[in-house]
């Protein structure tokens, strides 16, 4: 344990509290948050958190590389997910706006997915610089040629935001990205909410686990129904699939397609537990590398039901109603043509995909950029016909300005100008396509790569989170880090629609706060660079 | 993973199934239980069990010695508790008899504890061979001299049994021991019942996790309310304590006194979670080594309330209603006079002790032996005045014959005779006083120690469990062992009484099955030698 160390390397920043929030919102005292901890306070918080996490499944498998060789040859060890020791203050208005807009966002991305022509045009600009997009699009074309046999699509989404701070203005909700595939941490984020609630109220009647602070005494984080919402989406698709298309009829199931060596399994198990326990739906986990061994589509049945045979009970056959992908989102998961064949295999089957290839493509950063273009066609109003224009305006308000870098464009000018670049971040369109490039480094970076590759990048105006937010994180190796942090709010939604655009189910519920050290610009929670957190609204 | 290895070293025994049970109880087929597993079946069962355990808190901290040096310097790792992959068949009649007798056993041990004269006489025979008993008795005398200020006592008990098999007779319930202090595994045993229930019924509607077998398709283990029962006992004592005896009044709490470096923490946390969550009672964990730093009894208050001050909030004071000991049960925990002083400190306070020193002494093997003496005074009827004699007879039926080794006694004759010794086990009266000595080794062992030490040993007729029971265990290091096993059923009970013998609360509920490799005669679950299990009644 290293109480003096800082979170994510923010070593030069001291415990200043979130001064800016306090200035702008005088009614709540956010100074000195979190309060300084005595060694005994920190030890108690850390011990309580470590034990609570294991008792309640707020856990991850440790990275094999983080353990000495041979320390866990049977892969049996677990550790707490990285979590903050305190909930983070978050502006209530921003939190509520994110919740209010989620079903509109669901509808937007369903509508985009239904508009193959529009999506194809956007993708067309990427295909020669992004072979991942190209292969996904080819997958769609291959299945389209044969003909899709499932007209329902399921989305389990997470829209990620920051609370953007500008001088003399209330914090504003700004979208960082919209996830249409493998939206993770819904299983664990509800647990972090419970953990922080328990720390805030413990022991019952005389809460003393945290040192006294007005905000920590003001209440608990809002309800977090992420597990119910996400599992509810899967259950809705399962039911909408209808009866077995096999002869004789087979029992129905949902499969989770997962990665080999997944360490974030307990996040996924939280959803399958809800599906099997509450909804009484069989759920099987299938590693993407074993899809062809364990699933099949019979050529003799024109309905193309996807059949799953558990390797431990090969005589039992189940028909898959819904394929939930917790894999296949990253280019590096496709190591050979066999992996792409597996994707086609799923896509052409009768199972409802969560998501379809087209829905996955709709989640490209490029799509987000086109939607957010400050000038040009009003895509939002086209996709959201019938939606109250004031709601569309609110949704548009959550966009940070984004640009492509085409010749003579505003984006190219902003990116190459040393002064305007300072207010921007350059993001690779392709997942795993490189790191984000920030501010002053943007012009030089662009000069260093061929201009033909610029199409693979999106320029985005920087979102400015509260500059002086501080938290204390417990990493999954038990190190304790304190420092200045940035928090990102994710809001979950689920939608089921058919290919005519008819929406059968549209729901929102549950949220995630991820908090990372300020100098850490990338990195997932499971990688240990950022921590799961919860919100205290103010 | 070593599928071919055997549980607890029973390497020469093959997969014979529980043939004897099958012979005696033709209506249920217990042959080939558990069924042989294909590699895929075993892999699925093991993976499911490992993940389920961590997701649901069926966990232990790994032994630091089991990991390479430096592998877990922050003590953050956890692993599954050792569990069997299958529930074990257990005779329904024996299971129900154990439940039916538990409140009578509760009453018996409360009555023994109230009879200081009787208990003193039994202890008197031990004091010169057992300094642990001597020191406990001295603790009682010291507090008695000053005067006890709390007339209520709380017992959280576990009565341990085997199903004894004799030719041509139905299995009979025989008591192994009765635990009056730190009765453990109530927190985890309910989880094992849930695990096995899920394995038996998974996936919903089409259970295929286990290979088919009539007994595995016959139902699920009975309800296990161990957590509710044990926490309910503590909550009852907390309430019975009444209002604060301090001026001004202080908030009330329960403390768990625990060992340094405890690895079985999640078992304990299951009880504290129920107490804080359901009963809304503050619970604090206090290491026995820190009792004097964190608790005090004021000399100026004749009621002697026990005051607890959390080190992380020293200005907060709580009055302890109930001291739950998960420490101080073993002689090696008393390293200096300071430890005995701490025990006196607790005992003389106004807190209700679970257990008192006298109640701990009532749990000595010597007491069990005196109660079970086949000849002599009818202690049971004296202690259980007003109880139906047929119930007393049923309770007596659970005793295996036990003997002391006094000169010219039946016990001495049975122990020294090479032939009769074969049917016995010699147990040290003192916890941690050495290993049990079995059968042919008894006469030689006794000859090798001074005759004056024989008083420290109890001779017990062997209980014969089903000879051919087999199970598969998943150890907490992930090794998988299959082999012949012995199972021990524990039944939980709680009782609150005052020193006049008046019973305020007497409850039973919840159970534990521990299963160990047949050649392993000693060893706790946390040590990895035996596994937590559940029962399928037949």
């Amino acid at each position: 344990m290293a109480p003096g160390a800082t979170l994510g390397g923010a070593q030069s920043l001291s415990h200043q509290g979130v001064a800016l929030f306090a200035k702008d919102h005088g009614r709540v005292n956010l100074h000195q948050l979190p309060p300084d901890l005595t060694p005994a306070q920190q030890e108690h918080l850390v011990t309580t958190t470590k034990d609570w996490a294991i008792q309640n499944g707020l856990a991850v498998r440790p990275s094999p590389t983080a353990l000495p060789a041979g320390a866990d040859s049977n892969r049996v060890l677990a550790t707490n997910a990285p979590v903050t020791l305190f909930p983070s203050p978050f502006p209530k208005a921003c939190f509520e706006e994110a919740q209010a807009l989620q079903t509109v966002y669901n509808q937007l991305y369903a509508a985009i997915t239904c508009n193959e022509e529009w999506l194809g045009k956007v993708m067309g600009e990427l295909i020669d610089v992004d072979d991942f997009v190209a292969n996904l699009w080819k997958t769609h074309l291959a299945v389209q040629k044969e003909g899709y046999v499932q007209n329902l699509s399921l989305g389990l989404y997470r829209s990620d935001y920051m609370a953007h701070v500008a001088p003399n203005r209330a914090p504003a909700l700004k979208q960082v990205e919209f996830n249409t595939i493998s939206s993770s941490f819904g299983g664990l984020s509800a647990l972090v909410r419970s953990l922080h609630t328990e720390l805030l109220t413990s022991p019952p009647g005389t809460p003393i686990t945290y040192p006294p602070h007005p905000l920590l005494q003001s209440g608990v984080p809002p309800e977090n129904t992420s597990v119910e919402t996400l599992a509810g989406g899967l259950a809705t698709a399962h039911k909408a699939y209808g009866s077995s298309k096999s002869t004789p009829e087979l029992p129905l199931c949902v499969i989770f397609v997962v990665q080999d060596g997944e360490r974030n399994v307990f996040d996924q198990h939280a959803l399958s537990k809800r599906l099997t326990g509450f909804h009484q739906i069989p759920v099987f986990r299938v590693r993407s590398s074993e899809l062809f061994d364990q699933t099949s589509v019979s050529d003799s049945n024109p309905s193309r039901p996807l059949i799953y045979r558990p390797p431990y009970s090969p005589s039992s056959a189940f028909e898959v109603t819904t394929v939930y992908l917790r894999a296949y989102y990253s280019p590096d998961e496709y190591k050979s043509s066999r992996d792409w064949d597996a994707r086609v295999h799923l896509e052409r089957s009768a199972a409802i995909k969560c998501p379809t290839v087209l829905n996955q493509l709709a989640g490209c950063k490029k799509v987000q950029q086109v939607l957010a273009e400050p000038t040009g066609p009003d895509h939002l109003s086209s996709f959201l016909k019938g939606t109250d224009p004031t709601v569309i305006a609110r949704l548009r308000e959550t966009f940070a300005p984004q640009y492509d870098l085409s010749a003579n464009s505003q984006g190219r000018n902003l990116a190459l100008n040393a002064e305007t670049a300072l207010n921007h971040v350059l993001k690779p369109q392709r997942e795993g396509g490189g790191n984000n490039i920030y501010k002053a480094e943007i012009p030089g970076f662009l000069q260093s790569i061929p201009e033909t590759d610029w199409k693979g990048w999106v320029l985005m105006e920087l979102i400015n989170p509260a500059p002086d937010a501080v938290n204390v994180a417990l990493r999954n190796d038990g190190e304790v880090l304190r420092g200045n942090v940035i928090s990102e709010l994710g809001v979950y939604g689920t939608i089921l629609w058919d290919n005519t655009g008819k929406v059968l189910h549209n729901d929102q519920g549950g949220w995630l706060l991820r908090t990372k050290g300020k100098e850490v610009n990338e990195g997932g929670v499971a990688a240990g660079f950022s921590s799961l957190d919860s919100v205290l609204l103010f």
Side-chain angles (χ1 to χ4, degrees), chain A:
Chain A
M1 208 173 299
T6 54
L7 181 62
Q11 296 186 0
S12 62
L13 300 161
S14 60
H15 313 170
Q16 300 168 34
V18 283
L20 191 126
F21 276 162
K23 226 180 292 166
D24 286 353
H25 299 269
R27 68 191 186 286
V28 194
N29 180 7
L30 301 180
H31 276 293
Q32 282 297 329
L33 194 72
D36 285 333
L37 294 172
T38 66
Q41 283 168 339
Q42 176 163 316
E43 199 220 322
H44 180 68
L45 263 180
V46 166
T47 302
T48 303
T49 301
K50 285 197 291 197
D51 283 2
W52 194 99
I54 294 300
Q55 192 185 10
N56 294 279
L58 177 50
V60 292
R61 294 289 180 194
S63 164
T65 58
L67 294 172
D72 186 22
S73 49
N74 292 318
R75 304 300 312 274
V76 76
L77 296 174
T79 178
N80 58 278
V83 290
T84 60
L85 294 185
F86 293 84
S88 284
F90 196 89
K92 188 176 180 185
C94 292
F95 182 85
E96 289 175 347
E97 184 69 354
Q99 311 267 328
L101 293 176
Q102 186 60 37
T103 54
V104 191
Y105 262 119
N106 292 346
Q107 206 186 327
L108 171 64
Y109 278 85
I112 291 170
T113 306
C114 287
N115 192 334
E116 192 208 326
E117 190 191 335
W118 186 90
L119 194 58
K121 211 173 127 198
V122 175
M123 293 303 121
E125 295 176 37
L126 293 176
I127 279 171
D128 52 331
V129 290
D130 190 334
D131 56 350
F132 184 50
V133 163
N135 281 317
L136 286 171
W137 191 255
K138 265 196 278 183
T139 300
H140 159 61
L141 292 180
V143 178
Q144 192 179 45
K145 193 172 168 193
E146 183 181 15
Y148 280 94
V149 290
Q150 177 54 264
N151 65 1
L152 297 177
S153 299
L154 176 67
L156 260 59
Y157 299 147
R158 197 188 70 220
S159 184
D160 290 338
Y161 305 93
M162 286 187 191
H164 175 69
V165 169
N168 302 315
R169 294 184 60 175
L173 185 73
K174 292 293 174 191
Q175 190 178 55
V176 178
E177 63 179 355
F178 191 87
N179 302 282
T180 59
I181 182 166
S182 299
S183 304
S184 58
F185 297 117
L188 298 186
S189 64
L191 290 170
V192 181
R193 188 262 173 197
S194 298
L195 164 67
H196 286 162
T197 299
E198 190 160 321
L199 294 174
L200 285 161
T201 58
S202 174
T206 318
I208 52 165
T209 301
Y210 287 130
H213 184 284
L215 190 71
L216 299 175
Q217 288 156 316
S218 69
V220 297
E223 187 182 41
N224 191 344
T225 58
S226 48
V227 172
E228 293 83 346
T229 301
L230 295 171
L234 289 163
T236 301
H238 179 79
K239 201 172 165 192
Y241 180 87
S243 55
S244 169
K245 305 173 198 301
S246 305
T247 314
E249 292 201 355
L250 293 175
L252 304 176
C253 75
V254 170
I255 64 171
F256 285 23
V257 179
V258 300
Q259 297 181 337
D260 288 325
E262 175 66 75
R263 293 170 42 227
N264 191 28
V265 283
F266 303 105
D267 181 48
Q268 300 171 355
H269 285 315
L271 304 188
S272 44
K273 181 181 184 175
R274 175 82 182 171
L275 275 172
T276 55
F278 181 79
H279 296 286
Q280 292 285 303
I281 296 171
V283 175
F284 298 98
R285 295 171 65 80
V286 183
R287 286 193 284 256
S288 55
S289 60
E290 295 176 339
L291 263 173
F292 274 125
D293 302 325
Q294 297 174 15
T295 68
S296 59
V297 175
S298 164
D299 284 336
S300 63
N301 185 336
S303 300
R304 291 185 232 147
L306 183 67
I307 309 305
Y308 170 71
R309 289 178 195 277
Y312 53 90
S313 183
S315 63
S316 307
F318 290 80
E319 184 171 328
V320 180
T321 64
T322 311
V323 173
Y324 175 45
L325 295 186
R326 292 296 290 255
Y328 286 143
Y329 52 85
S330 169
D332 60 18
E333 293 182 72
Y334 298 81
K335 292 185 173 54
S336 72
S337 61
R338 187 178 151 91
D339 297 307
W340 285 108
D341 292 346
R343 193 70 198 271
V344 172
H345 165 72
L346 295 177
E347 196 75 6
R348 67 186 286 275
S349 80
I352 299 171
K353 270 70 68 183
C354 177
T356 61
V357 165
L358 286 183
N359 195 214
Q360 178 175 358
L361 285 167
C364 282
K365 291 200 191 77
K366 179 70 188 172
V367 169
Q368 203 190 349
Q369 177 253 305
V370 171
L371 295 174
E373 268 170 4
T375 55
D378 183 356
H379 302 298
L380 284 190
S381 297
S382 313
F383 285 123
L384 294 170
K385 275 194 193 80
T387 302
D388 181 345
T390 63
V391 171
I392 294 177
R394 281 162 56 194
L395 191 131
R396 199 187 310 276
E397 266 300 299
T398 66
F399 294 160
Q402 295 183 45
Y403 311 88
D404 67 22
L405 301 174
S406 54
N408 301 316
S409 70
Q410 190 185 3
R412 186 176 288 208
N413 292 340
L414 290 168
L416 294 177
N417 178 314
E419 197 175 328
T420 52
L422 288 178
N423 196 32
H424 289 85
V425 54
L426 189 68
K427 293 179 165 188
Q429 136 62 28
R430 175 179 151 164
E431 290 294 331
N435 294 325
N436 289 349
I437 311 295
Y438 288 86
K439 304 182 185 181
E441 290 174 9
I442 297 173
F445 172 80
L446 285 173
Q447 309 292 3
S448 75
I449 62 171
E451 199 176 314
T452 49
D453 288 355
W454 293 11
K455 277 202 284 189
W457 295 81
V458 166
L459 189 77
M460 184 171 173
E461 198 171 296
L462 276 172
I463 303 172
N464 296 315
D468 296 322
V470 174
N471 211 325
V472 185
L474 172 67
R475 287 202 322 208
N476 60 8
D477 61 1
E479 292 296 319
V480 178
L481 309 171
R482 183 180 184 116
N484 284 59
V485 293
I486 292 175
S487 293
E488 214 172 287
L489 176 75
V491 171
Y492 296 98
T494 69
I495 185 165
L496 181 72
W497 73 95
D498 73 16
N499 58 0
T500 70
K502 188 180 151 200
V503 172
L504 286 75
H505 167 93
N506 187 359
D507 191 23
Q508 73 81 24
W511 48 272
L512 160 75
L513 197 74
R514 270 191 301 183
T515 290
K516 50 189 175 181
K518 208 165 182 176
E519 269 66 49
V520 181
N521 288 315
E522 302 230 0
V525 172
F529 293 102
S530 76
S531 298
L532 298 170
D533 194 354
S534 76
V535 298
L536 274 183
L537 302 179
F538 70 94

